[in-house]
Amino acid sequence: NEKPNIDNNILHLTFRRTKATRERIVFEIDDYDLHFVDRITAINNNYIWKNNLVGGGRIKTLIEKVKDISSLEKYLKKNNCEVGEGFIKGTKGELKPNYFYNLQTLPTEAIDENRIDYSALTSISRDTKFVQIPNNGILFKAPNIIIKENIGKKTIPVFYNKIDFSFKDKIIGIVSKNNNNTVLKSIIQSFNKYNDFYRFYIFSSSSQVLINLNTSILKKDIINLPFLNDDGEIKLSEFDNNIISDVNIYMQDFLRHGENSKAVQPIPVGKFEPILSNYGQEFSKVLNLIYEDNNRKFRLSDIVKLRSSYIATIFKYDSKEKKPVFHSDNSKINLKELSDFEMSKQLTVNRIIKLYPDKDTIVFIKPNQNRYWLSLIAYRDADKCFSDLSTLGY
């Protein structure tokens, strides 16, 4: 019960959905659940807490990279387009003009990330009352864009539609008031081209998806997207694309499914070498941006599989050009005792072991789970090592 020191960063802890947490036995965290947020960022960045929830680290930088690009909402206003959700039925609502009842309607479930099932179109009873109809039904007039408020496994359900029909409020419609098909098709092209980025942006910024519901998004999540086209393009680096991929494949699934997610599973035997080699390559790339000098640079030299539960990676700073060597180790060292630390009966911290045996060697010992060896984590590890080395005067 103390007055906070405004000179200190805020520690943001992100607790994961584990069995122990779910059953209220104990909270479990590790080094990657600790996010230190400066107070200026906490005040000015609306998305920092969600950024941290889906992985933290350089996600914040990538989101800020597009902050000056105009939103889809502004693009629609500029091009005289109408955007809104469908109708809402209700017993206290009103009957609508005959033209509306002559219009067929599409059930929400008839749209998925792959298609609109037009065979599911059905008639509306003339006794049906409505509490909401968007702008006299303008959104129902083709050609228009249909977007389901859901984020699929591989894409956002966005379609160019040529048939008049009505739809419910969990579906978004976009229509050009000037019948400008070029504008509508530019939106479709943007969603096709930048699908991975848009999904990443929604996962990293939405106040609904991964919080209240797993896959349902809001209209504001769509219209607030930074709209990427010829007027608002960004150049995504290889680092950026790796972060986007890790959030879309692993981190969002980790939040949804916890211990049943791919992120916490052991690295498959057939993918062990590629995944560890990629981690070492990405970690080294970041540090070598600063430290590569006179042919000396960081490289992954050795990977040691410590029984089936832990992995040790050894990085060397030298001028050698050698592929990493993979070792098996049946050591009797109790790594669990080293890595698990009970701070209280309610909180357990899983330590990530980081060693600097000498000025040219870095060692990490971490659990054999996919999430600890992602590119996203390699960048976080490298950034922390850079901080450590700078403090040491290197």
Side-chain angles (χ1 to χ4, degrees), residues 53-96:
L53 188 65
V54 294
R58 295 190 174 199
I59 292 174
K60 167 182 172 287
T61 306
L62 180 49
I63 293 293
E64 289 180 339
K65 196 173 188 177
V66 297
K67 67 180 181 180
D68 294 327
I69 295 178
S70 292
S71 66
L72 174 60
E73 183 177 30
K74 290 181 179 178
Y75 180 78
L76 296 175
K77 288 180 179 178
K78 176 183 175 182
N79 289 281
N80 201 23
C81 292
E82 181 88 10
V83 59
E85 296 175 297
F87 63 75
I88 299 176
K89 294 190 290 186
T91 56
K92 295 183 179 180
E94 301 175 352
L95 296 173
K96 296 298 175 182

Side-chain angles (χ1 to χ4, degrees), residues 15 59 163 225:
F15 294 98
I59 292 174
I163 300 173
L225 286 171

Side-chain angles (χ1 to χ4, degrees), residues 26 63 84 114 154 159 171 183 192 197 201 250 305 314 354 367 370 384-385:
V26 65
I63 293 293
N114 299 311
K154 295 183 178 180
F159 303 96
I171 298 174
V183 171
N192 288 338
F197 174 78
Y201 192 91
Y250 289 98
K305 195 170 185 179
I314 302 169
K354 178 174 57 177
N370 283 295
K384 288 181 179 179
C385 284

Side-chain angles (χ1 to χ4, degrees), residues 160-176:
Y160 181 79
N161 170 63
K162 299 179 181 179
I163 300 173
D164 291 356
F165 60 81
S166 64
F167 45 82
K168 295 181 181 178
D169 63 313
K170 296 304 178 185
I171 298 174
I172 299 166
I174 299 174
V175 65
S176 169

Side-chain angles (χ1 to χ4, degrees), residues 64-65 80 90 94 99 119-120 146 166-167 205 210 253 274 280 285 319 352 369 371:
E64 289 180 339
K65 196 173 188 177
N80 201 23
E94 301 175 352
Y99 84 88
S119 67
I146 302 296
S166 64
F167 45 82
S205 63
L210 304 179
D253 182 58
K285 276 182 185 176
S319 58
I352 304 302
Q369 295 179 14
R371 62 179 169 139

Side-chain angles (χ1 to χ4, degrees), residues 74-340:
K74 290 181 179 178
Y75 180 78
L76 296 175
K77 288 180 179 178
K78 176 183 175 182
N79 289 281
N80 201 23
C81 292
E82 181 88 10
V83 59
E85 296 175 297
F87 63 75
I88 299 176
K89 294 190 290 186
T91 56
K92 295 183 179 180
E94 301 175 352
L95 296 173
K96 296 298 175 182
N98 286 334
Y99 84 88
F100 185 74
Y101 297 98
N102 292 331
L103 194 64
Q104 287 192 302
T105 190
L106 187 78
T108 305
E109 58 271 17
I111 304 178
D112 60 31
E113 60 183 301
N114 299 311
R115 64 176 186 139
I116 297 176
D117 181 8
Y118 291 104
S119 67
L121 286 169
T122 185
S123 299
I124 302 176
S125 168
R126 292 186 178 274
D127 296 329
T128 305
K129 295 181 179 181
F130 300 90
V131 295
Q132 172 182 299
I133 292 289
N135 197 4
N136 295 321
I138 188 175
L139 297 178
F140 305 146
K141 301 294 183 180
N144 58 358
I145 290 175
I146 302 296
I147 305 174
K148 186 175 183 179
E149 293 180 2
N150 189 275
I151 193 161
K153 292 181 179 180
K154 295 183 178 180
T155 188
I156 302 167
V158 180
F159 303 96
Y160 181 79
N161 170 63
K162 299 179 181 179
I163 300 173
D164 291 356
F165 60 81
S166 64
F167 45 82
K168 295 181 181 178
D169 63 313
K170 296 304 178 185
I171 298 174
I172 299 166
I174 299 174
V175 65
S176 169
K177 297 177 183 177
N178 302 331
N179 294 319
N180 189 338
N181 290 347
T182 301
V183 171
L184 297 181
K185 289 181 178 179
S186 73
I187 296 170
I188 295 295
Q189 289 170 358
S190 178
F191 273 88
N192 288 338
K193 183 177 180 179
Y194 295 104
N195 168 65
D196 290 341
F197 174 78
Y198 285 149
R199 292 177 72 242
F200 159 80
Y201 192 91
I202 290 173
F203 284 136
S204 303
S205 63
S206 172
S207 60
Q208 165 118 318
V209 70
L210 304 179
I211 298 178
N212 296 326
L213 296 167
N214 280 336
T215 60
S216 293
I217 59 179
L218 301 171
K219 173 191 165 188
K220 69 177 182 179
D221 295 330
I222 294 293
I223 64 175
N224 287 341
L225 286 171
F227 185 65
L228 307 179
N229 62 358
D230 293 338
D231 297 325
E233 276 196 293
I234 56 169
K235 291 185 178 180
L236 296 174
S237 68
E238 185 179 350
F239 295 137
D240 295 334
N241 285 322
N242 288 336
I243 290 169
I244 289 168
S245 177
D246 285 344
V247 170
N248 287 351
I249 295 173
Y250 289 98
M251 299 311 295
Q252 61 86 17
D253 182 58
F254 183 29
L255 284 171
R256 290 168 59 192
H257 299 118
E259 290 182 331
N260 295 321
S261 68
K262 186 177 180 180
V264 301
Q265 300 304 311
I267 299 172
V269 174
K271 294 184 178 181
F272 188 82
E273 290 194 18
I275 287 177
L276 268 296
S277 295
N278 177 75
Y279 169 83
Q281 178 178 305
E282 297 306 313
F283 175 88
S284 300
K285 276 182 185 176
V286 173
L287 285 185
N288 288 333
L289 291 173
I290 306 296
Y291 292 109
E292 185 172 0
D293 182 46
N294 295 326
N295 295 323
R296 297 192 76 200
K297 59 185 178 181
F298 281 100
R299 65 180 179 89
L300 178 61
S301 66
D302 298 88
I303 299 96
V304 185
K305 195 170 185 179
L306 302 166
R307 287 172 286 181
S308 60
S309 302
Y310 291 88
I311 299 168
T313 52
I314 302 169
F315 293 88
K316 294 286 187 179
Y317 182 66
D318 56 29
S319 58
K320 295 179 181 179
E321 294 286 346
K322 289 185 176 181
K323 291 184 177 181
V325 179
F326 288 79
H327 307 269
S328 293
D329 178 77
N330 294 316
S331 170
K332 294 182 180 179
I333 297 174
N334 190 341
L335 288 168
K336 190 169 179 60
E337 285 188 1
L338 291 175
S339 62
D340 290 4

